Amino acid sequence: MNTLKLNEFKALYKALKTGVVWVDYLLLGVLVWIEEKLIDNRVRVELDEAIKEWETLHPPSIQSPVYTESPSDTSTRLPEMRITSAWYIDTVEGPKGR
């Protein structure tokens, strides 16, 4: 749709309008294209700044996983390996007599 959204571009179009229909339509198309690129750029910059500000106010709190290895009593004699989250507390105890 060939409509201008910003008042600055509307005023610029009124000032540059020639009265020749095809020239005015071409001018309107160029101004709409430039306006869309300008709006996209403004939105992208504002979002990037907001994300950077949010990241400085809320630092990441990612903890690395915990790797544990314990001997196994199986016939293959391979150790038991576990990767768990840092906040997980292992409360299950193995069989008695180990």
Side-chain angles (χ1 to χ4, degrees):
M1 192 182 305
N2 286 336
T3 58
L4 296 170
K5 298 170 184 84
L6 300 176
N7 290 331
E8 296 88 5
F9 281 89
K10 290 178 183 178
L12 184 61
Y13 176 67
K14 286 180 183 179
L16 295 176
K17 200 181 327 185
T18 62
V20 180
V21 177
W22 67 272
V23 174
D24 291 343
Y25 193 73
L26 182 63
L27 176 65
L28 178 63
V30 169
L31 288 176
V32 166
W33 181 77
I34 292 172
E35 183 184 47
E36 286 176 2
K37 297 296 180 186
L38 178 72
I39 290 172
D40 288 344
N41 188 34
R42 284 183 184 175
V43 169
R44 192 174 301 117
V45 167
E46 287 293 325
L47 281 175
D48 289 345
E49 289 176 1
I51 289 171
K52 285 179 185 176
E53 180 181 343
W54 188 86
E55 287 176 346
T56 58
L57 295 175
H58 303 88
S61 61
I62 298 174
Q63 298 174 349
S64 61
V66 177
Y67 173 76
T68 57
E69 188 174 323
S70 60
S72 176
D73 294 332
T74 62
S75 62
T76 59
R77 302 260 183 218
L78 293 174
E80 179 184 291
M81 296 181 288
R82 287 187 179 185
I83 297 177
T84 58
S85 59
W87 57 86
Y88 175 77
I89 299 172
D90 190 10
T91 57
V92 179
E93 294 182 15
K96 295 190 181 215
R98 249 191 178 176

